[in-house]
Amino acid sequence: MSDEEHHFESKADAGASKTYPQQAGTIRKGGHIVIKNRACKVVEVSTSKTGKHGHAKCHFVAIDIFNGKKLEDIVPSSHNCDVPHVNRTDYQLIDISEDGFVSLLTENGNTKDDLKLPTDDALLTQIKDGFAEGKDLVVSVMSAMGEEQICALKDIGPK
C-alpha cells in the first residue's frame, strides 16, 4: 500500500444539482420552472392539442423570481423541463451597512453578510424604516440556482 495521503478539492454544495427534471405536462400554475437559465414562477400554462404528427405543447408564461421579468417558453408536454430547487429561509436582521449589504443572524448563531438589500423599493423602505425604528425584523431569503435575494419581511416586535 502507498503511504501517500489523498487530498480532495471540496465544493460546498456536495455536488447537489441546482435543478431537477419534471415532465412539462405535469407543471402547473404556481409551480417553478427554468426558462433561459433563470428560476421562474409559473403564472399561466396553456396546452395545445396534438397536430396531425406530433406532440401536445405546453406554453408557459412565468415571472423571474429574482428580477420580476416575464418570460415565456413552449415545450412539448412529453419532454422534461428543468425545475429549480427553491428554498426560503428566515433570518433575523442585525445590521445594514452603508454599502447596501445586510448582516443577518442564522439559526445556528452565525452571521451571514453576503446579501444586498432588495431592489424592490417598497420592501427596501420597509426594511430601512423598521430598522431605523429599532424593531426586531426577520427577513425571508429566497434562494435558487446559486442566487439569493431578500423577498419578504416580518416584524417580530420591538427590541
Side-chain angles (χ1 to χ4, degrees):
M1 290 288 160
S2 87
D3 294 332
E4 293 176 31
E5 285 186 31
H6 294 286
H7 295 287
F8 297 102
E9 295 291 317
S10 70
K11 303 279 187 277
D13 63 358
S17 176
K18 294 177 167 82
T19 62
Y20 60 95
Q22 186 175 343
Q23 193 170 338
T26 63
I27 297 172
R28 299 279 163 248
K29 181 179 173 180
H32 292 92
I33 188 172
V34 175
I35 300 177
K36 295 183 182 139
N37 265 348
R38 302 291 300 163
C40 302
K41 187 175 182 88
V42 178
V43 291
E44 190 183 321
V45 181
S46 55
T47 311
S48 65
K49 295 273 191 278
T50 56
K52 192 172 178 184
H53 317 276
H55 302 279
K57 294 204 172 25
C58 293
H59 177 235
F60 295 104
V61 178
I63 293 177
D64 189 313
I65 59 177
F66 294 116
N67 64 21
K69 286 195 174 126
K70 192 177 191 179
L71 296 165
E72 294 187 42
D73 200 6
I74 297 173
V75 185
S77 63
S78 58
H79 288 205
N80 281 349
C81 290
D82 284 335
V83 177
H85 290 286
V86 179
N87 294 319
R88 205 178 171 133
T89 320
D90 289 347
Y91 298 107
Q92 188 166 349
L93 181 66
I94 303 171
D95 192 24
I96 300 175
S97 64
E98 283 89 50
D99 58 357
F101 281 88
V102 291
S103 185
L104 305 172
L105 184 66
T106 63
E107 288 208 351
N108 58 11
N110 296 334
T111 57
K112 181 176 176 60
D113 302 311
D114 58 349
L115 274 176
K116 273 187 162 304
L117 281 165
T119 49
D120 177 32
D121 289 331
L123 189 57
L124 180 65
T125 51
Q126 273 185 308
I127 291 172
K128 283 188 168 175
D129 293 349
F131 185 73
E133 291 167 22
K135 292 180 182 171
D136 265 343
L137 300 175
V138 172
V139 294
S140 292
V141 176
M142 181 120 49
S143 62
M145 298 178 66
E147 265 188 84
E148 291 184 310
Q149 187 177 339
I150 295 171
C151 61
L153 173 72
K154 281 184 243 169
D155 183 359
I156 57 171
K159 280 187 182 169

